[in-house]
Amino acid sequence: MATEFINNIGLALESEIAAAGPYAPALQAYIHRAVPRLSSGMQTAPEAAEAVLEALTADRPAFRIQTSEWARDFTGTKLTDLDGSAVLAVTHSWIA
């Protein structure tokens, strides 16, 4: 979800990467992929709120809701992935 969370948590990303030791390359790859997505193309807070409000006011709300098409697709992948390989295929690119 696109929010100001990353900007407001007070992390110095370069310091975090430097302190990550052997995990620095994976952390740097994750940040390189994730941070740009936080500012564009992600679901906004009002969009998520609209989905939550719809669920709260529904006569028969779903047991679980996903507030975006991406979340629905990813949840579908997780629920049908018996050995974890499909989820790994999606999430591997987040740190590779």
Side-chain angles (χ1 to χ4, degrees):
M1 181 175 306
T3 68
E4 289 297 314
F5 177 77
I6 292 295
N7 296 331
N8 293 327
I9 60 174
L11 280 181
L13 294 179
E14 293 304 320
S15 298
E16 295 295 324
I17 293 168
Y23 300 102
L27 178 58
Q28 189 166 20
Y30 175 76
I31 289 169
H32 179 73
R33 181 203 174 274
V35 171
R37 290 192 63 187
L38 293 174
S39 60
S40 67
M42 296 197 71
Q43 182 181 29
T44 65
E47 290 168 341
E50 184 178 330
V52 170
L53 182 60
E54 184 178 314
L56 290 172
T57 58
D59 290 335
R60 299 189 68 159
F63 181 69
R64 291 191 174 108
I65 63 166
Q66 292 80 37
T67 62
S68 71
E69 190 64 35
W70 183 91
R72 282 186 284 282
D73 290 345
F74 189 68
T75 299
T77 299
K78 288 190 327 183
L79 293 174
T80 58
D81 186 17
L82 299 179
D83 67 358
S85 61
V87 169
L88 284 176
V90 172
T91 60
H92 180 265
S93 68
W94 298 356
I95 59 169

Coordinates of all heavy atoms in Angstrom, one line a residue:
M1 N 0.8 -1.2 0.0 CA 0.0 0.0 0.0 C 0.9 1.2 0.0 O 1.9 1.3 0.7 CB -0.9 0.0 1.2 CG -1.8 1.1 1.3 SD -3.0 1.1 2.6 CE -3.7 -0.5 2.3
A2 N 0.5 2.2 -0.8 CA 1.3 3.4 -0.9 C 0.9 4.3 0.3 O -0.1 4.9 0.3 CB 1.0 4.1 -2.2
T3 N 1.8 4.4 1.2 CA 1.6 5.4 2.4 C 3.0 6.1 2.6 O 4.0 5.8 2.0 CB 1.2 4.6 3.6 OG1 2.3 3.8 4.1 CG2 0.0 3.7 3.4
E4 N 3.0 6.9 3.6 CA 4.2 7.6 4.0 C 5.0 6.8 5.1 O 5.9 7.3 5.7 CB 3.9 9.0 4.6 CG 3.4 9.9 3.5 CD 4.5 10.2 2.5 OE1 5.7 10.4 2.9 OE2 4.2 10.1 1.3
F5 N 4.7 5.5 5.3 CA 5.3 4.7 6.3 C 6.8 4.8 6.2 O 7.5 5.1 7.2 CB 4.8 3.3 6.3 CG 5.5 2.4 7.3 CD1 5.1 2.4 8.6 CD2 6.4 1.5 6.9 CE1 5.7 1.6 9.5 CE2 7.1 0.7 7.8 CZ 6.7 0.7 9.1
I6 N 7.3 4.4 5.1 CA 8.8 4.4 4.9 C 9.4 5.7 5.2 O 10.5 5.8 5.8 CB 9.2 3.9 3.5 CG1 8.8 2.5 3.3 CG2 10.6 4.1 3.2 CD1 9.5 1.5 4.1
N7 N 8.8 6.8 4.8 CA 9.3 8.1 5.0 C 9.3 8.6 6.5 O 10.1 9.4 6.9 CB 8.6 9.2 4.2 CG 8.8 9.0 2.7 OD1 9.8 8.4 2.3 ND2 7.8 9.3 1.9
N8 N 8.4 7.9 7.2 CA 8.2 8.4 8.6 C 8.8 7.5 9.7 O 8.7 7.8 10.8 CB 6.7 8.5 8.9 CG 6.1 9.7 8.1 OD1 6.7 10.7 7.8 ND2 4.9 9.5 7.7
I9 N 9.4 6.3 9.3 CA 9.9 5.4 10.3 C 11.3 5.8 10.8 O 11.8 5.2 11.7 CB 9.8 4.0 9.9 CG1 10.6 3.7 8.6 CG2 8.4 3.5 9.8 CD1 10.7 2.2 8.2
G10 N 12.0 6.7 10.1 CA 13.3 7.2 10.5 C 14.4 6.2 10.3 O 15.4 6.3 10.9
L11 N 14.3 5.4 9.3 CA 15.4 4.5 8.9 C 16.4 5.2 8.0 O 16.0 5.9 7.1 CB 14.9 3.3 8.2 CG 14.3 2.2 9.0 CD1 13.9 1.0 8.1 CD2 15.3 1.6 10.0
A12 N 17.6 5.0 8.3 CA 18.7 5.5 7.4 C 19.1 4.2 6.6 O 19.8 3.4 7.0 CB 19.9 6.0 8.1
L13 N 18.5 4.1 5.4 CA 18.7 2.9 4.6 C 20.1 2.5 4.4 O 20.5 1.3 4.5 CB 17.9 3.0 3.3 CG 16.4 3.1 3.4 CD1 15.7 3.2 2.1 CD2 15.8 1.8 4.2
E14 N 21.0 3.4 4.1 CA 22.4 3.1 3.8 C 23.0 2.5 5.1 O 23.8 1.6 5.0 CB 23.1 4.3 3.3 CG 22.7 4.8 2.0 CD 22.8 3.8 0.9 OE1 23.8 3.0 0.9 OE2 21.9 3.7 0.0
S15 N 22.7 3.0 6.2 CA 23.2 2.5 7.5 C 22.7 1.1 7.8 O 23.4 0.2 8.2 CB 22.8 3.4 8.7 OG 23.4 4.7 8.5
E16 N 21.4 0.9 7.4 CA 20.9 -0.5 7.6 C 21.6 -1.5 6.7 O 21.8 -2.6 7.1 CB 19.4 -0.4 7.3 CG 18.5 0.4 8.3 CD 18.6 -0.2 9.7 OE1 18.6 -1.4 9.9 OE2 18.6 0.6 10.6
I17 N 21.8 -1.1 5.5 CA 22.5 -2.0 4.6 C 23.9 -2.3 5.0 O 24.4 -3.4 5.1 CB 22.5 -1.4 3.1 CG1 21.1 -1.4 2.6 CG2 23.4 -2.2 2.2 CD1 20.9 -0.6 1.3
A18 N 24.6 -1.2 5.5 CA 26.0 -1.4 6.0 C 26.0 -2.3 7.2 O 27.0 -3.1 7.4 CB 26.6 -0.1 6.3
A19 N 25.0 -2.3 8.0 CA 25.0 -3.1 9.2 C 24.4 -4.5 9.0 O 24.5 -5.4 9.9 CB 24.1 -2.4 10.3
A20 N 24.0 -4.8 7.8 CA 23.4 -6.1 7.5 C 24.4 -7.2 7.3 O 24.0 -8.4 7.1 CB 22.5 -6.0 6.3
G21 N 25.7 -6.9 7.2 CA 26.7 -8.0 7.1 C 26.5 -8.8 5.8 O 26.3 -8.2 4.7
P22 N 26.5 -10.1 6.0 CA 26.4 -11.0 4.8 C 25.0 -10.9 4.1 O 24.8 -11.3 3.0 CB 26.6 -12.4 5.4 CG 26.3 -12.3 6.8 CD 26.7 -10.9 7.2
Y23 N 24.0 -10.3 4.8 CA 22.7 -10.1 4.2 C 22.6 -8.8 3.5 O 21.5 -8.5 2.9 CB 21.6 -10.2 5.3 CG 21.7 -11.5 6.1 CD1 22.3 -11.6 7.3 CD2 21.2 -12.7 5.5 CE1 22.3 -12.8 8.0 CE2 21.2 -13.9 6.1 CZ 21.8 -13.9 7.4 OH 21.9 -15.1 8.0
A24 N 23.6 -8.0 3.4 CA 23.5 -6.7 2.7 C 23.1 -6.8 1.3 O 22.3 -6.0 0.8 CB 24.9 -6.0 2.9
P25 N 23.7 -7.7 0.5 CA 23.2 -7.8 -0.9 C 21.7 -8.1 -1.1 O 21.1 -7.5 -1.9 CB 24.1 -8.9 -1.5 CG 25.3 -9.0 -0.7 CD 24.8 -8.6 0.7
A26 N 21.2 -9.0 -0.2 CA 19.8 -9.3 -0.3 C 18.9 -8.2 0.1 O 17.9 -7.8 -0.5 CB 19.5 -10.6 0.5
L27 N 19.4 -7.5 1.2 CA 18.6 -6.3 1.7 C 18.6 -5.2 0.7 O 17.6 -4.6 0.4 CB 19.2 -5.8 3.0 CG 18.5 -4.6 3.6 CD1 17.0 -4.8 3.9 CD2 19.2 -4.2 4.9
Q28 N 19.8 -5.0 0.1 CA 19.9 -3.9 -0.9 C 19.0 -4.2 -2.1 O 18.3 -3.3 -2.7 CB 21.4 -3.7 -1.4 CG 21.6 -2.5 -2.2 CD 23.0 -2.2 -2.4 OE1 23.9 -3.0 -2.1 NE2 23.3 -0.9 -2.7
A29 N 19.0 -5.5 -2.6 CA 18.2 -5.9 -3.7 C 16.7 -5.7 -3.4 O 15.9 -5.2 -4.2 CB 18.4 -7.3 -4.1
Y30 N 16.3 -6.0 -2.1 CA 14.9 -5.9 -1.7 C 14.5 -4.4 -1.7 O 13.5 -4.0 -2.2 CB 14.7 -6.5 -0.4 CG 13.3 -6.3 0.2 CD1 12.2 -7.0 -0.4 CD2 13.0 -5.3 1.1 CE1 10.9 -6.7 0.1 CE2 11.8 -5.0 1.5 CZ 10.7 -5.8 1.0 OH 9.4 -5.5 1.5
I31 N 15.4 -3.6 -1.1 CA 15.1 -2.1 -1.0 C 15.0 -1.5 -2.4 O 14.1 -0.7 -2.7 CB 16.1 -1.4 -0.2 CG1 15.9 -1.8 1.3 CG2 16.1 0.1 -0.3 CD1 17.1 -1.4 2.2
H32 N 15.9 -1.9 -3.3 CA 16.0 -1.4 -4.7 C 14.7 -1.8 -5.4 O 14.1 -1.0 -6.2 CB 17.1 -2.0 -5.4 CG 17.2 -1.6 -6.8 ND1 17.6 -0.3 -7.2 CD2 17.0 -2.2 -8.0 CE1 17.6 -0.2 -8.5 NE2 17.2 -1.4 -9.0
R33 N 14.1 -2.9 -5.1 CA 12.8 -3.3 -5.7 C 11.6 -2.7 -5.0 O 10.7 -2.2 -5.7 CB 12.7 -4.8 -5.7 CG 11.4 -5.3 -6.4 CD 11.0 -6.6 -5.9 NE 9.7 -7.0 -6.4 CZ 8.5 -6.6 -5.9 NH1 8.5 -5.9 -4.8 NH2 7.4 -7.0 -6.4
A34 N 11.6 -2.7 -3.7 CA 10.4 -2.3 -2.9 C 10.2 -0.8 -2.9 O 9.1 -0.3 -3.0 CB 10.5 -2.8 -1.5
V35 N 11.3 0.0 -2.6 CA 11.1 1.4 -2.4 C 10.5 2.2 -3.6 O 9.5 2.9 -3.4 CB 12.4 2.1 -1.9 CG1 12.3 3.6 -1.9 CG2 12.8 1.5 -0.5
P36 N 10.9 1.9 -4.8 CA 10.2 2.6 -5.9 C 8.7 2.2 -6.0 O 7.9 3.1 -6.4 CB 11.0 2.2 -7.2 CG 12.3 1.8 -6.6 CD 12.1 1.2 -5.3
R37 N 8.4 1.0 -5.7 CA 7.0 0.6 -5.8 C 6.2 1.3 -4.7 O 4.9 1.4 -4.8 CB 6.9 -0.9 -5.6 CG 7.4 -1.7 -6.8 CD 7.1 -3.1 -6.8 NE 5.6 -3.2 -6.8 CZ 5.0 -4.3 -6.7 NH1 5.6 -5.4 -6.5 NH2 3.7 -4.3 -6.7
L38 N 6.8 1.7 -3.6 CA 6.0 2.4 -2.6 C 5.5 3.7 -3.0 O 4.6 4.3 -2.4 CB 6.9 2.6 -1.3 CG 7.3 1.3 -0.6 CD1 8.3 1.5 0.5 CD2 6.1 0.5 -0.1
S39 N 6.1 4.3 -4.1 CA 5.7 5.6 -4.5 C 4.9 5.6 -5.8 O 4.4 6.6 -6.1 CB 6.9 6.5 -4.7 OG 7.8 6.0 -5.6
S40 N 4.8 4.5 -6.4 CA 4.0 4.5 -7.7 C 3.4 3.1 -7.9 O 4.0 2.1 -7.6 CB 4.9 4.8 -8.8 OG 5.8 3.8 -9.1
G41 N 2.2 3.1 -8.4 CA 1.6 1.9 -8.8 C 1.0 1.0 -7.7 O 0.4 0.0 -8.0
M42 N 1.1 1.4 -6.5 CA 0.6 0.6 -5.4 C -0.8 1.2 -5.0 O -1.2 2.3 -5.4 CB 1.5 0.7 -4.2 CG 2.9 0.1 -4.5 SD 3.8 -0.4 -3.1 CE 2.9 -1.8 -2.5
Q43 N -1.5 0.3 -4.3 CA -2.8 0.7 -3.9 C -2.7 1.8 -2.9 O -1.8 1.9 -2.0 CB -3.4 -0.5 -3.2 CG -4.8 -0.3 -2.7 CD -5.4 -1.6 -2.0 OE1 -4.6 -2.4 -1.5 NE2 -6.7 -1.8 -2.1
T44 N -3.6 2.8 -2.9 CA -3.6 3.9 -2.0 C -4.5 3.5 -0.8 O -5.3 2.6 -0.8 CB -4.2 5.1 -2.7 OG1 -5.6 4.9 -2.9 CG2 -3.5 5.5 -3.9
A45 N -4.2 4.3 0.3 CA -5.0 4.1 1.5 C -6.5 4.2 1.3 O -7.3 3.4 1.8 CB -4.5 5.0 2.6
P46 N -6.9 5.3 0.5 CA -8.4 5.4 0.3 C -9.0 4.2 -0.5 O -10.1 3.8 -0.2 CB -8.5 6.7 -0.5 CG -7.3 7.5 -0.1 CD -6.2 6.5 0.1
E47 N -8.2 3.6 -1.4 CA -8.7 2.4 -2.1 C -8.9 1.3 -1.2 O -9.9 0.6 -1.3 CB -7.7 2.1 -3.3 CG -7.7 3.1 -4.4 CD -6.5 2.9 -5.4 OE1 -5.5 2.2 -5.0 OE2 -6.6 3.4 -6.5
A48 N -7.9 1.1 -0.3 CA -8.0 0.0 0.7 C -9.2 0.3 1.6 O -10.0 -0.6 1.9 CB -6.8 -0.2 1.5
A49 N -9.4 1.5 2.1 CA -10.5 1.9 2.9 C -11.8 1.6 2.3 O -12.7 1.2 3.0 CB -10.3 3.3 3.4
E50 N -11.9 1.9 1.0 CA -13.2 1.6 0.3 C -13.5 0.1 0.4 O -14.7 -0.2 0.6 CB -13.0 2.1 -1.1 CG -14.3 1.9 -2.0 CD -14.1 2.5 -3.4 OE1 -13.3 3.4 -3.6 OE2 -14.8 1.9 -4.3
A51 N -12.5 -0.7 0.1 CA -12.8 -2.2 0.2 C -13.2 -2.6 1.6 O -14.1 -3.4 1.8 CB -11.6 -2.9 -0.3
V52 N -12.5 -2.1 2.6 CA -12.8 -2.4 4.0 C -14.2 -1.9 4.4 O -15.0 -2.7 5.0 CB -11.8 -1.8 5.0 CG1 -12.2 -2.0 6.4 CG2 -10.4 -2.5 4.7
L53 N -14.6 -0.7 4.0 CA -15.9 -0.2 4.3 C -17.0 -1.0 3.6 O -18.0 -1.3 4.2 CB -16.0 1.3 3.8 CG -17.4 2.0 4.0 CD1 -17.7 2.0 5.5 CD2 -17.3 3.4 3.5
E54 N -16.7 -1.4 2.4 CA -17.7 -2.3 1.7 C -17.9 -3.6 2.4 O -19.0 -4.1 2.6 CB -17.1 -2.6 0.3 CG -18.1 -3.4 -0.6 CD -17.5 -3.7 -2.0 OE1 -17.1 -2.7 -2.6 OE2 -17.6 -4.8 -2.4
A55 N -16.8 -4.2 3.0 CA -16.9 -5.4 3.7 C -17.6 -5.2 5.0 O -18.5 -6.0 5.4 CB -15.5 -6.0 4.0
L56 N -17.4 -4.1 5.7 CA -18.0 -3.8 7.0 C -19.5 -3.5 6.8 O -20.3 -3.8 7.8 CB -17.4 -2.6 7.6 CG -16.0 -2.8 8.1 CD1 -15.4 -1.5 8.6 CD2 -16.0 -3.8 9.3
T57 N -20.0 -3.1 5.7 CA -21.4 -2.7 5.5 C -22.1 -3.8 4.7 O -23.3 -3.7 4.5 CB -21.5 -1.4 4.8 OG1 -20.8 -1.4 3.5 CG2 -20.9 -0.3 5.7
A58 N -21.4 -4.9 4.3 CA -22.1 -5.9 3.5 C -23.0 -6.7 4.4 O -22.7 -7.0 5.6 CB -21.0 -6.8 2.9
D59 N -24.1 -7.2 3.8 CA -25.0 -8.1 4.6 C -24.3 -9.4 4.9 O -24.5 -9.9 6.0 CB -26.3 -8.4 3.7 CG -27.2 -7.2 3.6 OD1 -27.1 -6.3 4.5 OD2 -27.9 -7.1 2.6
R60 N -23.6 -9.9 4.0 CA -22.8 -11.2 4.2 C -21.4 -11.0 3.8 O -21.0 -11.4 2.7 CB -23.5 -12.3 3.5 CG -25.0 -12.5 3.9 CD -25.5 -13.7 3.3 NE -24.8 -14.8 3.9 CZ -25.2 -16.1 4.0 NH1 -26.3 -16.4 3.4 NH2 -24.5 -17.0 4.6
P61 N -20.6 -10.4 4.6 CA -19.2 -10.1 4.2 C -18.4 -11.4 4.0 O -18.7 -12.4 4.7 CB -18.6 -9.3 5.4 CG -19.5 -9.6 6.5 CD -20.8 -9.9 6.0
A62 N -17.4 -11.4 3.2 CA -16.5 -12.5 3.0 C -15.8 -12.8 4.3 O -15.5 -11.9 5.0 CB -15.6 -12.3 1.8
F63 N -15.4 -14.0 4.5 CA -14.6 -14.4 5.6 C -13.2 -13.7 5.6 O -12.7 -13.2 6.6 CB -14.4 -15.9 5.7 CG -13.6 -16.4 6.9 CD1 -14.1 -16.3 8.1 CD2 -12.3 -16.9 6.7 CE1 -13.4 -16.8 9.2 CE2 -11.6 -17.3 7.8 CZ -12.1 -17.3 9.1
R64 N -12.6 -13.6 4.4 CA -11.4 -12.9 4.2 C -11.5 -12.0 3.0 O -12.3 -12.3 2.1 CB -10.2 -13.8 4.0 CG -9.8 -14.6 5.1 CD -8.5 -15.4 4.9 NE -8.1 -16.0 6.1 CZ -8.1 -17.4 6.2 NH1 -8.5 -18.1 5.2 NH2 -7.7 -17.9 7.3
I65 N -10.9 -10.8 3.1 CA -10.9 -10.0 1.9 C -9.5 -9.6 1.5 O -8.6 -9.5 2.4 CB -11.8 -8.7 2.1 CG1 -11.2 -7.8 3.2 CG2 -13.2 -9.0 2.4 CD1 -11.7 -6.4 3.3
Q66 N -9.3 -9.4 0.3 CA -8.1 -8.8 -0.3 C -8.5 -7.5 -0.9 O -9.5 -7.5 -1.6 CB -7.4 -9.7 -1.3 CG -6.9 -11.0 -0.7 CD -7.9 -12.0 -0.5 OE1 -8.9 -12.2 -1.3 NE2 -7.8 -12.8 0.6
T67 N -7.8 -6.4 -0.6 CA -8.3 -5.1 -1.0 C -7.7 -4.7 -2.4 O -8.0 -3.5 -2.8 CB -7.9 -4.1 0.0 OG1 -6.4 -4.0 0.1 CG2 -8.5 -4.4 1.4
S68 N -7.0 -5.5 -3.1 CA -6.5 -5.2 -4.4 C -6.5 -6.4 -5.3 O -6.5 -7.5 -4.8 CB -5.1 -4.6 -4.3 OG -4.2 -5.6 -4.0
E69 N -6.4 -6.2 -6.6 CA -6.3 -7.3 -7.6 C -5.0 -8.0 -7.3 O -5.0 -9.3 -7.4 CB -6.4 -6.7 -9.0 CG -6.5 -7.8 -10.0 CD -7.8 -8.6 -9.9 OE1 -8.8 -8.0 -9.6 OE2 -7.8 -9.8 -10.2
W70 N -3.9 -7.3 -7.1 CA -2.6 -8.0 -6.8 C -2.8 -8.9 -5.6 O -2.3 -10.1 -5.6 CB -1.5 -7.0 -6.6 CG -0.2 -7.7 -6.4 CD1 0.7 -7.9 -7.4 CD2 0.3 -8.2 -5.2 NE1 1.8 -8.6 -6.8 CE2 1.6 -8.8 -5.5 CE3 -0.1 -8.2 -3.8 CZ2 2.4 -9.4 -4.5 CZ3 0.7 -8.8 -2.9 CH2 1.9 -9.4 -3.2
A71 N -3.4 -8.5 -4.5 CA -3.6 -9.3 -3.3 C -4.4 -10.5 -3.6 O -4.1 -11.6 -3.2 CB -4.2 -8.5 -2.2
R72 N -5.5 -10.3 -4.4 CA -6.3 -11.5 -4.8 C -5.5 -12.5 -5.6 O -5.6 -13.7 -5.3 CB -7.5 -11.0 -5.6 CG -8.6 -10.4 -4.7 CD -9.9 -10.1 -5.5 NE -9.8 -8.9 -6.3 CZ -9.9 -7.7 -5.8 NH1 -10.1 -7.5 -4.5 NH2 -9.8 -6.6 -6.6
D73 N -4.7 -12.0 -6.5 CA -3.9 -12.9 -7.4 C -2.9 -13.7 -6.5 O -2.7 -14.9 -6.6 CB -3.2 -12.2 -8.5 CG -4.1 -11.7 -9.6 OD1 -5.3 -12.2 -9.6 OD2 -3.7 -10.8 -10.4
F74 N -2.2 -12.9 -5.6 CA -1.2 -13.5 -4.8 C -1.8 -14.5 -3.8 O -1.2 -15.6 -3.6 CB -0.4 -12.5 -4.1 CG 0.8 -13.0 -3.3 CD1 1.9 -13.5 -4.1 CD2 0.9 -13.0 -2.0 CE1 3.0 -14.0 -3.4 CE2 2.0 -13.5 -1.3 CZ 3.1 -14.0 -2.0
T75 N -2.9 -14.2 -3.2 CA -3.6 -15.1 -2.3 C -4.0 -16.4 -3.1 O -3.8 -17.5 -2.5 CB -4.8 -14.5 -1.7 OG1 -4.4 -13.3 -0.9 CG2 -5.6 -15.4 -0.8
G76 N -4.5 -16.3 -4.3 CA -4.8 -17.4 -5.1 C -3.6 -18.3 -5.3 O -3.7 -19.5 -5.3
T77 N -2.5 -17.7 -5.6 CA -1.3 -18.4 -5.8 C -0.9 -19.2 -4.5 O -0.6 -20.4 -4.6 CB -0.1 -17.5 -6.2 OG1 -0.5 -16.9 -7.4 CG2 1.2 -18.2 -6.4
K78 N -0.9 -18.5 -3.4 CA -0.6 -19.1 -2.1 C -1.5 -20.3 -1.8 O -1.0 -21.4 -1.3 CB -0.6 -18.1 -1.0 CG 0.5 -17.1 -1.0 CD 0.6 -16.3 0.2 CE -0.7 -15.9 0.9 NZ -0.5 -15.0 2.1
L79 N -2.8 -20.1 -2.0 CA -3.7 -21.2 -1.6 C -3.6 -22.4 -2.5 O -4.1 -23.5 -2.1 CB -5.2 -20.6 -1.6 CG -5.4 -19.6 -0.5 CD1 -6.8 -19.0 -0.7 CD2 -5.3 -20.2 0.9
T80 N -3.1 -22.3 -3.7 CA -3.0 -23.4 -4.6 C -1.6 -24.0 -4.7 O -1.4 -24.9 -5.5 CB -3.6 -23.1 -6.0 OG1 -2.8 -22.0 -6.5 CG2 -5.0 -22.7 -6.0
D81 N -0.7 -23.5 -4.0 CA 0.7 -23.8 -4.1 C 1.1 -24.8 -3.0 O 1.5 -24.5 -1.9 CB 1.6 -22.5 -3.9 CG 3.0 -22.7 -4.1 OD1 3.4 -23.8 -4.7 OD2 3.8 -21.9 -3.7
L82 N 1.0 -26.1 -3.4 CA 1.2 -27.2 -2.4 C 2.6 -27.3 -1.9 O 2.8 -27.7 -0.8 CB 0.7 -28.5 -3.0 CG -0.8 -28.5 -3.4 CD1 -1.1 -29.9 -4.0 CD2 -1.6 -28.2 -2.2
D83 N 3.6 -27.0 -2.7 CA 5.0 -27.2 -2.3 C 5.7 -25.8 -2.1 O 6.9 -25.9 -1.8 CB 5.7 -28.1 -3.2 CG 5.9 -27.4 -4.6 OD1 5.5 -26.3 -4.9 OD2 6.6 -28.1 -5.5
G84 N 5.1 -24.7 -2.3 CA 5.7 -23.4 -2.1 C 6.5 -22.9 -3.3 O 7.0 -21.8 -3.3
S85 N 6.6 -23.7 -4.3 CA 7.4 -23.2 -5.5 C 6.8 -22.1 -6.2 O 7.6 -21.2 -6.7 CB 7.6 -24.4 -6.5 OG 6.4 -24.9 -7.0
A86 N 5.5 -22.0 -6.3 CA 4.9 -20.8 -7.0 C 5.1 -19.5 -6.2 O 5.4 -18.5 -6.8 CB 3.4 -21.1 -7.3
V87 N 5.0 -19.6 -4.9 CA 5.2 -18.4 -4.1 C 6.7 -18.0 -4.2 O 7.0 -16.8 -4.3 CB 4.8 -18.6 -2.7 CG1 5.2 -17.5 -1.8 CG2 3.3 -18.8 -2.6
L88 N 7.6 -19.0 -4.2 CA 9.0 -18.6 -4.3 C 9.3 -18.0 -5.6 O 10.1 -17.1 -5.8 CB 9.9 -19.9 -4.1 CG 10.0 -20.3 -2.7 CD1 10.8 -21.6 -2.6 CD2 10.7 -19.3 -1.8
A89 N 8.6 -18.5 -6.7 CA 8.8 -17.9 -8.0 C 8.5 -16.4 -8.0 O 9.1 -15.6 -8.7 CB 8.1 -18.7 -9.1
V90 N 7.4 -16.1 -7.3 CA 6.9 -14.7 -7.3 C 7.9 -13.9 -6.4 O 8.3 -12.8 -6.7 CB 5.5 -14.6 -6.7 CG1 5.1 -13.1 -6.5 CG2 4.5 -15.2 -7.7
T91 N 8.1 -14.4 -5.2 CA 8.9 -13.6 -4.2 C 10.4 -13.6 -4.4 O 11.1 -12.7 -3.9 CB 8.6 -14.0 -2.7 OG1 9.0 -15.4 -2.6 CG2 7.1 -13.9 -2.4
H92 N 10.9 -14.5 -5.1 CA 12.4 -14.6 -5.4 C 12.8 -13.3 -6.0 O 13.9 -12.7 -5.7 CB 12.7 -15.8 -6.2 CG 14.2 -15.8 -6.5 ND1 14.7 -15.3 -7.7 CD2 15.2 -16.3 -5.8 CE1 16.0 -15.5 -7.7 NE2 16.4 -16.1 -6.5
S93 N 12.0 -12.7 -7.0 CA 12.5 -11.5 -7.7 C 12.5 -10.3 -6.7 O 13.1 -9.3 -7.0 CB 11.5 -11.2 -8.8 OG 10.2 -10.9 -8.3
W94 N 11.9 -10.4 -5.6 CA 11.9 -9.3 -4.6 C 13.3 -9.1 -4.0 O 13.6 -8.0 -3.6 CB 10.9 -9.5 -3.5 CG 9.5 -9.6 -4.0 CD1 9.0 -9.4 -5.2 CD2 8.3 -9.9 -3.2 NE1 7.6 -9.6 -5.3 CE2 7.2 -9.9 -4.0 CE3 8.2 -10.2 -1.8 CZ2 5.9 -10.1 -3.5 CZ3 6.9 -10.4 -1.3 CH2 5.8 -10.4 -2.2
I95 N 14.1 -10.1 -4.0 CA 15.4 -10.0 -3.4 C 16.5 -10.4 -4.3 O 17.7 -10.3 -4.0 CB 15.5 -10.8 -2.1 CG1 15.3 -12.3 -2.3 CG2 14.7 -10.2 -1.0 CD1 15.6 -13.2 -1.1
A96 N 16.2 -10.9 -5.5 CA 17.2 -11.4 -6.4 C 17.7 -10.2 -7.3 O 17.1 -9.3 -7.5 CB 16.7 -12.5 -7.3

